[in-house]
């Protein structure tokens, strides 16, 4: 070991996020940690609206001005061909007399924030200002008849118009006088989520098992004590060791024989009082034996334990019985900590999961990583009482290899053959920073160190001062003289360990990685695939493993559970469920099959034609795959055109220009040159280019992302990418799926719900209804400055509700609240102006349908339970303001539903051998809904497995209603949600989450490609599925409060269609 005296500035450690995998279809997603709540940007960031007008263009979209655009677009044909065909009713945007009922709605404008900004969350000294929410009162709908006269002049998306004019035009559609409404609570303290409106009854009843185990509520007097340990340490492990020593020494004497549970930080819990109010203890810890035989270092700690409060289990009992609205989090937390005590001592805890090499076979993941098996455990309040949710889990750990072997695996080559390149060094430094190693060159002495970086020089060039006079000695010489150890790899850098101010040097070949360190950085595609293979279990096997885990954990023998009187059942909860019927789907009347009833969550396009086929009159093909010959590309495009026409589109079999081969490294030049060539040919005929077909190599790095960015934000054209392997196979199934995607990209519809056309969907068909989907995707672990991306989509057709326009925006790193739903700023010419994603999508709906939405249904993806109040208060307020900015007192009633996939509840068939109750993968049938027993004691939530399993164990989606002015019944919301899952455009299967939320996720994922690539070594090499990503971007300048650089704007004609499909 060599200690260097001067500071040699090593890099700091990276932030991380768990890569925790639960198996299931699409399982393998990283567990999302609670995002850091960041203070909002000052001065109206993103001021300037959607077209980049104003100081800082905020996000993708059009009209920033107050209220402009509530006019119907004049007659010309929309993208995707002439007027759509409708069966059995007049087209929706023709002038007609109509009579309709309008549900009651809120009218009072929401309270404005000071300075026009939203509340500041976590980061300012002031407490957040909380928006007022207004709940519409329930009242008998009144019938009013109104005549709608459409505007006859066309409205371009960039024309100027005042708020007054647009409000007047908007009010032409008013059909009912506003009723006074009652104000909702002003803060989360008094906010109540809607109560369950009764349980659903639709569908075939059946029994399923859930991985929830009944936990008997203990009858104990719980006490909480504050713990102060001096000197303070950040490591929970050290804190636990101190408290374990304290309990060991003083349990019988000073602690009144109590066995306390400790959270590793500041809190200690006991079942009954300790015999003191406050007490100080002195504890001595011996350092771990490093095998050297020398005296182990002693560390002295002073521990003060002081009574803080009593945790009241009575209120928890009241809450579980439905007689109290708020969950007593303190009592739940105590029980959770008690049940985590023993596994924390036995295994490696990661979040709410526990891992061990002994809980199942370790599997190599490549590049020096291996997977460990483990289990997730959490106590939850449910209708059946307290429940312990147990699920199987796997995650990546670093293999305990000698560093030389680890680096060999990491670089995937014989490292002694040639010197390390700069990119090799960056990769090694990123992989090893923060990793704990032990030395191997001192016999039994295995002292441990944490790696802080690599030296910039090779080991043979490293010298250091050995005395105060500055006498220098080389590292090679020092190791030979002091330890008799000859360093072989003198051309390699040394590891820097310990304090960055006084780094120590260790040659790589004398270090071995310490076992049990979780890998928290981003996995590459091969590692994710290998991890998914490990976690992918058939339902029957997973159920057996869960039961075995519960037996193995032996909660009945757990001394902490016994001390606190917690009894856990060993049987899976048996739950009543219902299987909702699939919806009938409408196809075009000219096909042999005009409609279709899906079977077990799937159907196909045979003998069917798309209900509204899009039109592709002008298209070109560019081939970036070297091994695809021109004649193969031509033949593929020809087959694709045939399939599109067979499926019901109007697809010109001849391209504008012949297929062109291009080099992947010149993607921008090739795309732009060919696009302009095609436009030169089309413009004299006043035609546009409808579609670009692109053939890509199977492994195409950043090519896919570059191509999408150029097409959607620069050229303004939709594209369809096809991989080489599919071009050669040319299977009918593949071509049919591609046709579905092309159709919606050019403005067509593949299918619609038959009940939508016949106006039979409760709370949707009676009045114009807009359905939103929203999601925020966060950067990958290790990318500690990239922005988060928010996406919002909204239905643009009514009553069909199948076409969704999408908008995206970049926002602060790990910010979960969507910042650009509504914005206001001061314009030098026009004064106060407003914009935002909600406002633009409402205007867009009005233009597409000729009607303003009278009801809003908002599906919000990706919100954890801890953020329900925050997200609801902030985002519902933004919806309210967006509506009010379009017309005074315009407040359509809102239903706000959170969609969760990242939970650990799994449902199993009651009898796995009963073929009538499982699909081909052994999973429960699509349409299975559960709203009892394992659901919330009082609130409106349900689990819905809307899809058929493919492999592994299906994960049901969890829907939780946070606001409901439309007064949905359980049956109506469950059926609507399940039926919508059959309208997903990209396949002929029902999907696992409601399509608007799915589309928002796709749009947010797509927008990552729009950011400029980052060249720094802190970024990860690829971003996106199957390696088709661009490098992560730093659209933030360095510094915590730096403004987020807005994404390049989507072209107008792109954002009107489902470009993200």
């Amino acid at each position: 070991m060599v200690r260097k005296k001067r500071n040699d500035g090593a890099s700091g450690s990276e932030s991380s996020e768990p890569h925790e995998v639960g198996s299931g279809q699409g399982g393998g997603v990283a567990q999302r940690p609670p995002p850091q709540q960041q203070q909002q940007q000052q001065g109206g960031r993103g001021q300037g609206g959607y077209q980049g007008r104003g100081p800082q263009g905020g996000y993708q979209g059009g009209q920033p001005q107050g209220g402009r655009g509530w006019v119907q677009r004049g007659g010309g044909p929309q993208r995707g061909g002439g007027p759509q065909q409708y069966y059995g009713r007049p087209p929706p945007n023709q002038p007609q007399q109509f009579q309709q009922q309008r549900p009651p709605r809120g009218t009072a404008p929401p309270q404005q924030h000071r300075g026009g900004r939203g509340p500041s969350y976590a980061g300012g000294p002031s407490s957040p200002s909380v928006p007022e929410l207004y709940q519409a009162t329930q009242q008998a709908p009144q019938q009013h008849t109104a005549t709608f006269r459409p505007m006859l002049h066309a409205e371009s998306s960039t024309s100027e118009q005042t708020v007054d004019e647009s409000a007047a035009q908007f009010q032409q559609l008013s059909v009912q006088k506003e009723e006074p409404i009652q104000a909702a609570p002003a803060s989360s303290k008094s906010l109540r989520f809607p109560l369950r409106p009764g349980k659903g009854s639709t569908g075939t009843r059946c029994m399923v098992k859930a991985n929830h185990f009944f936990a008997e509520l203990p009858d104990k007097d719980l006490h909480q004590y504050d713990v102060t340990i001096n000197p303070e340490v950040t490591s929970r492990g050290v804190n636990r060791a101190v408290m374990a020593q304290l309990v060991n020494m003083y349990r019988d004497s000073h602690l009144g024989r109590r066995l306390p549970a400790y959270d590793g930080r500041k809190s200690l819990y006991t079942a009954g009082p300790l015999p003191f109010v406050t007490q100080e203890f002195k504890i001595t810890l011996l350092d771990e034996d490093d095998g050297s035989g020398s005296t182990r270092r002693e560390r002295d700690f002073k521990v003060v334990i002081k009574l803080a409060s009593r945790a009241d289990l009575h209120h928890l009992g009241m809450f579980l019985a439905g007689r109290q609205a708020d969950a007593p989090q303190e009592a739940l937390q105590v029980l959770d900590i008690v049940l985590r005590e023993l596994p924390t001592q036995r295994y490696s805890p990661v979040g709410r999961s526990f891992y061990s090499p002994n809980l199942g076979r370790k599997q190599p993941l490549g590049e020096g990583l291996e997977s460990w098996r483990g289990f997730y455990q959490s106590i939850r309040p449910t209708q059946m009482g307290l429940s312990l949710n147990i699920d199987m889990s796997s995650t990546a750990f670093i293999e305990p290899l000698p560093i030389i072997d680890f680096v060999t695996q990491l670089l995937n080559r014989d490292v002694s053959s040639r010197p390390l390149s700069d990119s090799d060094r960056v990769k090694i430094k990123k992989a090893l920073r923060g990793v704990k190693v032990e030395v191997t060159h001192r016999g039994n002495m295995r002292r441990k160190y944490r790696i802080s970086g690599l030296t910039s020089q090779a080991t043979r060039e490293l010298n250091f001062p050995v005395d105060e006079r500055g006498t220098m000695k080389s590292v090679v010489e020092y190791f030979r003289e002091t330890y008799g150890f000859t360093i072989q790899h003198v051309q390699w850098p040394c590891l820097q360990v310990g304090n960055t101010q006084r780094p120590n040097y260790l040659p790589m070949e004398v270090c071995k990685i310490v076992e049990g360190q979780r890998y928290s950085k981003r996995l590459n595609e091969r590692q994710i695939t290998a991890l998914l293979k490990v976690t992918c279990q058939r339902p029957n096997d997973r159920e057996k493993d869960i039961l075995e885990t519960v037996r193995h954990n032996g909660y009945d023998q757990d001394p902490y559970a016994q001390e606190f009187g917690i009894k856990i059942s060993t049987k899976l909860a048996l739950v009543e469920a219902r299987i909702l019927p699939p919806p009938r789907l409408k196809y075009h009347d000219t096909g042999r099959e005009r409609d279709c009833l899906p079977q077990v969550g799937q159907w196909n396009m045979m003998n069917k034609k798309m209900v509204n086929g899009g039109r592709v009159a002008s298209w070109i093909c560019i081939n970036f795959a070297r091994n695809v010959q021109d004649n193969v590309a031509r033949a593929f495009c020809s087959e694709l055109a045939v399939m599109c026409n067979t499926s019901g589109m109007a697809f010109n079999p001849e391209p504008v220009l012949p297929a062109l081969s291009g080099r992947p490294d010149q993607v921008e030049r090739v795309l732009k040159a060919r696009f302009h060539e095609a436009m030169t040919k089309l413009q004299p005929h006043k035609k546009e280019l409808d579609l670009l077909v692109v053939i890509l190599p199977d492994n195409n790095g950043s090519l896919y992302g570059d191509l999408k960015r150029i097409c959607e934000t620069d050229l303004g054209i939709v594209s369809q990418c096809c991989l080489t392997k599919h071009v050669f196979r040319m299977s009918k199934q593949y071509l049919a799926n591609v046709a579905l995607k092309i159709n919606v990209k050019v403005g067509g519809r593949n299918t619609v719900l038959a009940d939508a056309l016949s106006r039979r969907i409760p709370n949707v068909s009676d009045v114009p209804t807009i359905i939103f989907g929203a999601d925020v995707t966060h950067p990958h672990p290790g990318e500690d400055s990239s922005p988060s991306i928010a996406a919002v989509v909204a239905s643009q057709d009514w009553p069909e509700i199948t076409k969704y326009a999408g908008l995206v925006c970049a926002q602060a790193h790990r910010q979960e609240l969507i910042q650009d739903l509504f914005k206001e700023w001061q314009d030098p010419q026009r004064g106060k102006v407003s914009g935002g994603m909600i406002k633009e999508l409402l205007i867009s709906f009005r233009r597409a349908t000729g009607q303003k939405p009278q009801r809003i249904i908002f599906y919000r993806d990706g919100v954890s339970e801890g953020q329900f109040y925050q997200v609801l208060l902030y985002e519902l307020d933004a919806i309210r303001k967006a509506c009010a900015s379009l017309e005074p007192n315009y407040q359509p009633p809102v239903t706000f539903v959170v969609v969760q996939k990242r939970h650990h509840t799994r449902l199993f068939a009651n009898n796995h051998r009963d073929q009538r109750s499982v699909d081909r993968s052994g999973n429960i049938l699509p349409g299975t809904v559960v709203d009892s027993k394992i659901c919330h004691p009082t609130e409106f939530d349900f689990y819905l497995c809307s899809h058929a399993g493919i492999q592994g164990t299906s994960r049901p989606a969890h829907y939780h209603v946070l606001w409901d002015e439309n007064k949905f019944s359980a049956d109506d919301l469950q059926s609507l949600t399940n039926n919508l899952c059959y309208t997903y455009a990209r396949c002929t299967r029902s999907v696992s989450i409601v399509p608007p939320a799915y589309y928002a996720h796709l749009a947010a994922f797509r927008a990552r490609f729009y950011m400029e690539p980052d060249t720094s070594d802190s970024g990860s090499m690829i971003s996106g599925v199957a390696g088709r990503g661009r490098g992560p971007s730093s659209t933030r300048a360095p510094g915590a409060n730096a403004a987020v650089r807005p994404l390049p704007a989507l072209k107008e004609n792109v954002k009107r269609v489902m470009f993200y499909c």
Side-chain angles (χ1 to χ4, degrees):
M1 159 61 77
V2 178
R3 170 160 276 141
K4 187 181 173 199
K5 290 196 173 175
R6 61 191 168 74
N7 178 7
D8 194 20
S11 330
S13 64
E14 296 188 20
S15 71
S16 64
E17 160 180 304
H19 255 294
E20 189 181 338
V21 175
S23 76
Q25 188 188 355
V29 280
Q31 288 281 73
R32 195 185 311 223
Q36 302 154 5
Q37 298 160 6
Q38 303 197 3
Q39 185 155 356
Q40 282 181 245
Q41 302 296 327
Q42 302 295 313
R45 53 165 275 279
Q47 295 174 347
Y50 324 144
Q51 301 287 15
R53 293 199 293 274
Q56 294 174 298
Y59 70 96
Q60 314 299 330
Q63 315 81 11
Q65 64 283 28
R68 190 192 77 203
W70 280 104
V71 290
Q72 188 183 9
R73 189 192 299 276
Q78 293 194 338
R79 182 179 181 102
Q84 309 278 18
Q85 295 178 51
Y86 295 87
Y87 299 98
R89 59 183 176 76
N93 53 356
Q94 295 301 316
Q96 56 178 308
Q97 294 287 110
F98 65 92
Q99 196 175 53
Q100 58 190 13
Q101 290 192 334
R102 180 150 182 204
R105 49 203 168 86
T107 55
Q111 172 189 316
Q112 301 293 315
H113 298 305
R114 286 188 294 278
R117 289 206 326 266
S120 84
Y121 290 98
S126 60
S127 60
S129 70
V130 178
E132 289 277 1
L133 298 185
Y134 294 91
Q135 182 98 23
T137 54
Q138 187 154 26
Q139 54 201 3
Q142 301 171 7
Q143 278 202 336
H144 288 271
T145 306
T147 306
F148 166 49
R149 294 185 192 84
M151 301 291 158
L152 295 177
H153 64 279
E155 169 78 15
S156 84
S157 65
T158 51
S159 67
E160 297 299 327
Q161 187 178 19
T162 65
V163 180
D164 296 342
E165 281 176 53
S166 77
Q169 287 163 352
F170 183 85
Q171 285 163 354
Q172 287 191 350
L173 289 186
S174 293
V175 292
Q176 180 181 321
K177 287 190 175 173
E178 307 298 338
E179 300 287 343
I181 58 157
Q182 102 200 21
S187 77
S188 61
K189 293 275 191 299
S190 49
L191 179 64
R192 291 282 174 268
F193 297 142
L195 296 177
R196 190 180 301 283
K199 295 193 172 106
S201 58
T202 304
T204 310
R205 293 185 181 277
C206 65
M207 299 303 287
V208 295
K209 288 177 285 191
N211 59 340
H212 285 242
F213 298 83
F214 178 68
E216 206 175 292
L217 191 63
D219 182 21
K220 292 278 184 177
D221 194 11
L222 300 188
H223 285 64
Q224 179 184 351
Y225 291 84
D226 287 340
V227 173
T228 313
I229 298 177
N230 274 314
E232 204 170 321
V233 282
T234 51
S235 161
R236 278 195 191 197
V238 173
N239 285 343
R240 287 186 186 283
V242 169
M243 292 308 293
Q245 178 82 316
L246 188 151
V247 171
N248 199 25
M249 290 170 65
Y250 297 110
R251 182 181 175 186
D252 289 346
S253 54
H254 291 64
L255 302 182
R257 311 205 67 170
R258 302 234 178 261
L259 181 62
Y262 176 51
D263 70 353
R265 297 256 189 248
K266 304 274 187 192
S267 295
L268 188 78
Y269 301 95
T270 58
L274 294 175
F276 55 79
V277 172
T278 180
Q279 180 88 39
E280 185 178 303
F281 298 89
K282 285 194 168 45
I283 301 295
T284 301
L285 272 195
L286 283 179
D287 265 7
E288 201 179 325
D289 187 355
D290 60 13
S292 64
S294 57
T295 312
R296 287 155 70 183
R297 187 171 62 127
E298 291 186 354
R299 285 196 282 173
D300 292 328
F301 295 93
K302 187 174 85 175
V303 182
V304 177
I305 298 176
K306 182 182 177 185
L307 178 65
S309 65
R310 288 176 60 175
D312 196 348
L313 288 181
H314 168 70
H315 285 297
L316 180 55
M318 296 278 284
F319 172 71
L320 294 169
R323 293 200 292 274
Q324 177 181 319
D326 275 341
Q329 292 302 334
E330 179 74 21
L332 286 168
Q333 192 183 344
V334 178
L335 301 177
D336 211 38
I337 288 164
V338 170
L339 290 172
R340 292 173 63 77
E341 268 287 353
L342 197 59
T344 299
Q345 293 168 23
R346 287 181 180 172
Y347 311 121
S348 299
V350 176
R352 288 187 175 274
S353 298
F354 299 94
Y355 298 95
S356 165
N358 309 319
L359 286 174
R361 222 150 50 86
K362 293 190 290 187
Q363 299 282 354
L365 299 177
E367 298 190 14
L369 302 186
E370 61 186 10
S371 70
W372 284 19
R373 286 273 280 168
F375 63 93
Y376 167 92
Q377 170 182 297
S378 171
I379 197 122
R380 303 187 59 77
T382 64
Q383 288 173 38
M384 68 177 182
L386 276 182
S387 143
L388 190 67
N389 181 201
I390 301 274
D391 192 23
M392 304 317 296
S393 187
S394 289
T395 197
F397 278 75
I398 303 169
E399 276 193 71
L401 298 167
I403 288 286
I404 295 285
D405 295 353
F406 177 84
V407 170
T408 304
Q409 279 201 32
L410 181 71
L411 302 179
N412 198 21
R413 64 179 171 82
D414 176 13
V415 286
S416 57
S417 57
R418 65 171 192 262
L420 298 176
S421 67
D422 285 350
S423 64
D424 288 341
R425 295 167 73 93
V426 166
K427 195 171 182 183
I428 295 167
K429 186 169 90 172
K430 277 180 65 180
L432 288 177
R433 192 188 289 156
V435 172
K436 202 182 274 185
V437 292
E438 57 186 17
V439 293
T440 57
H441 64 293
R442 300 179 67 178
N444 286 332
M445 182 180 163
R446 293 290 177 123
R447 186 163 286 172
K448 296 182 174 68
Y449 301 92
R450 196 175 292 280
I451 300 170
S452 57
L454 295 183
T455 58
S456 51
Q457 298 150 288
T459 302
R460 61 169 169 251
E461 296 162 13
L462 284 171
N463 298 297
F464 64 99
V466 287
D467 55 31
E468 295 305 317
R469 295 196 305 278
T471 311
M472 301 300 282
K473 182 170 278 193
S474 77
V475 168
V476 175
E477 201 181 342
Y478 175 83
F479 269 81
R480 190 169 50 243
E481 289 175 7
T482 312
Y483 306 115
F485 186 91
T486 305
I487 299 171
Q488 303 294 319
H489 298 277
V490 290
Q491 78 282 14
W492 283 34
C494 276
L495 300 176
Q496 280 183 191
V497 298
N499 189 323
T500 49
Q501 270 62 50
R502 296 177 60 210
N504 301 330
Y505 295 152
L506 286 175
M508 287 190 183
E509 62 209 78
V510 304
C511 296
K512 179 175 182 286
I513 292 169
V514 174
E515 186 177 55
Q517 297 179 80
R518 189 174 133 269
Y519 184 76
S520 57
K521 302 182 184 82
R522 189 169 169 221
L523 300 177
N524 65 33
E525 302 303 330
R526 284 188 304 279
Q527 290 166 335
I528 289 170
T529 304
L531 189 54
L532 281 174
K533 206 175 276 182
V534 173
T535 59
C536 190
Q537 278 185 296
R538 285 181 73 83
N540 203 5
D541 298 331
R542 192 186 192 97
E543 184 186 320
K544 282 178 188 161
D545 278 4
I546 289 169
L547 286 166
E548 179 51 42
T549 299
V550 171
R551 276 194 290 275
H552 182 264
N553 287 350
Y555 296 103
D556 55 335
Q557 305 296 313
D558 180 337
Y560 295 94
Q562 287 175 339
E563 170 86 5
F564 284 79
I566 303 172
K567 296 192 179 84
I568 307 291
S569 165
T570 55
K571 290 190 177 135
L572 291 155
L574 197 60
V575 185
E576 192 176 273
R578 289 168 289 114
I579 301 164
L580 301 178
R584 188 164 286 281
L585 302 176
K586 181 78 181 82
Y587 283 92
H588 201 279
D589 284 352
T590 57
R592 290 228 304 264
E593 292 180 26
R594 297 176 179 190
D595 58 20
C596 150
L597 194 63
Q599 301 297 313
V600 196
Q602 41 194 319
W603 64 102
N604 59 49
M605 284 294 291
M606 283 174 69
N607 303 323
K608 301 176 194 71
K609 289 191 184 293
M610 296 152 174
V611 71
N612 299 123
R615 186 164 160 268
V616 178
S618 314
W619 60 279
I620 54 173
C621 171
I622 300 179
N623 169 20
F624 287 105
R626 274 205 312 225
N627 56 337
V628 176
Q629 305 302 318
D630 286 353
N631 59 332
V632 176
R634 259 199 318 277
F636 174 77
C637 288
S638 174
E639 286 295 313
L640 182 57
V642 168
M643 179 57 81
C644 287
N645 283 314
T646 306
S647 302
M649 293 180 68
F651 199 108
N652 184 348
E654 290 302 318
V656 177
L657 299 167
L660 173 77
S661 291
R663 283 176 46 181
D665 58 348
Q666 296 177 350
V667 56
E668 189 151 2
R669 196 179 61 73
V670 172
L671 278 179
K672 289 183 175 176
R674 199 59 167 174
F675 176 78
H676 292 305
E677 212 177 321
M679 290 308 290
T680 307
K681 199 168 171 182
L682 291 169
Q683 271 169 340
H685 307 287
K686 296 201 165 32
K687 288 182 181 172
E688 291 292 324
L689 193 59
D690 298 318
L691 177 70
L692 169 65
V693 177
V694 187
I695 297 170
L696 294 177
D698 291 335
N699 296 313
N700 55 71
S702 67
L703 181 57
Y704 175 84
D706 290 337
L707 191 137
K708 292 295 183 186
R709 173 177 52 83
I710 296 160
C711 286
E712 288 156 10
T713 67
D714 192 343
L715 303 178
I717 181 172
V718 291
S719 56
Q720 180 56 54
C721 295
C722 305
L723 293 178
T724 303
K725 60 184 179 188
H726 298 307
V727 170
F728 283 126
R729 278 188 212 135
M730 238 184 283
S731 84
K732 289 276 186 281
Q733 180 64 61
Y734 173 73
L735 292 170
N737 277 353
V738 172
L740 293 176
K741 295 172 69 167
I742 291 174
N743 189 46
V744 295
K745 286 178 184 177
V746 298
R749 281 190 202 90
N750 295 336
T751 185
V752 297
L753 297 168
D755 278 356
L757 292 180
S758 56
R759 308 282 182 107
R760 285 203 301 256
I761 302 178
N763 272 4
V764 172
S765 297
D766 53 345
V767 295
T769 298
I770 187 168
I771 301 182
F772 285 91
D775 191 18
V776 178
T777 64
H778 300 292
H780 290 286
E783 290 177 25
D784 39 17
S785 65
S786 302
S788 293
I789 303 272
V792 181
V793 304
S795 57
Q796 299 293 291
D797 51 352
W798 178 84
E800 299 89 349
I801 51 170
T802 53
K803 278 187 182 181
Y804 290 83
L807 299 174
V808 289
C809 69
Q811 58 186 41
H813 178 73
R814 297 223 154 268
Q815 169 64 270
E816 183 58 53
L817 305 176
I818 301 176
Q819 300 300 290
D820 282 352
L821 288 181
F822 178 75
K823 328 180 277 191
E824 285 182 314
W825 65 96
Q826 215 53 38
D827 181 273
Q829 275 77 45
R830 291 175 296 156
K832 193 175 187 181
V833 253
S834 64
M837 298 164 105
I838 298 287
K839 181 169 181 176
E840 179 174 354
L841 289 165
L842 289 170
I843 291 169
S844 177
F845 177 95
R846 165 73 178 83
R847 284 189 172 150
T849 65
Q851 310 191 65
K852 62 178 181 180
Q854 292 174 34
R855 184 183 288 117
I856 293 174
I857 299 168
F858 198 95
Y859 284 104
R860 176 66 155 90
D861 194 8
V863 182
S864 61
E865 284 173 19
Q867 293 183 302
F868 278 5
Y869 285 110
Q870 219 190 344
V871 168
L872 177 67
L873 285 165
Y874 185 85
E875 296 184 4
L876 183 58
D877 182 57
I879 295 169
R880 290 265 186 262
K881 286 177 173 169
C883 292
S885 74
L886 289 163
E887 176 191 315
N889 296 335
Y890 172 57
Q891 290 296 324
V894 177
T895 296
F896 193 106
V897 186
V898 166
V899 187
Q900 292 176 303
K901 279 285 281 184
R902 290 182 180 177
H903 59 78
H904 283 270
T905 293
R906 298 291 181 275
L907 302 174
F908 304 102
N910 190 26
N911 178 2
H912 290 280
R913 286 187 292 278
D914 178 4
Q915 293 306 305
R916 291 165 308 171
S917 64
V918 292
D919 62 19
R920 278 188 303 186
S921 66
N923 278 289
I924 53 171
L925 294 170
T928 302
V929 66
V930 168
D931 61 2
S932 64
K933 204 158 180 180
I934 58 168
C935 292
H936 193 279
T938 57
E939 291 167 13
F940 188 3
D941 72 327
F942 57 92
Y943 290 96
L944 171 65
C945 181
S946 49
H947 66 297
I950 296 175
Q951 56 178 7
T953 304
S954 295
R955 186 194 313 232
H958 183 230
Y959 296 89
H960 202 127
V961 182
L962 302 192
W963 194 257
D964 184 25
E965 291 170 339
N966 292 301
K967 305 295 180 214
F968 271 95
S969 71
D971 277 331
D972 288 350
L973 188 60
Q974 290 164 9
S975 294
L976 170 65
T977 305
N978 185 56
N979 292 351
L980 285 173
C981 291
Y982 285 79
T983 65
Y984 184 63
R986 306 204 313 172
C987 58
T988 53
R989 298 177 68 94
S990 58
V991 287
S992 59
I993 62 168
V994 71
Y998 207 140
Y999 293 146
H1001 180 77
L1002 291 178
F1005 190 81
R1006 170 67 55 84
R1008 285 237 166 257
F1009 297 135
Y1010 301 161
M1011 302 189 298
E1012 281 131 50
D1014 182 10
T1015 50
S1016 76
D1017 69 77
S1018 65
S1020 161
M1021 303 315 282
I1022 55 165
S1023 160
V1025 175
R1028 299 197 312 193
R1030 290 160 62 64
S1033 71
S1034 237
T1035 55
R1036 272 160 68 83
N1041 295 317
V1044 176
R1045 195 185 308 151
L1047 298 171
L1050 279 170
K1051 293 296 180 185
E1052 281 296 326
N1053 60 331
V1054 170
K1055 69 171 116 140
R1056 282 201 301 271
V1057 294
M1058 296 167 73
F1059 66 92
Y1060 44 79
C1061 276

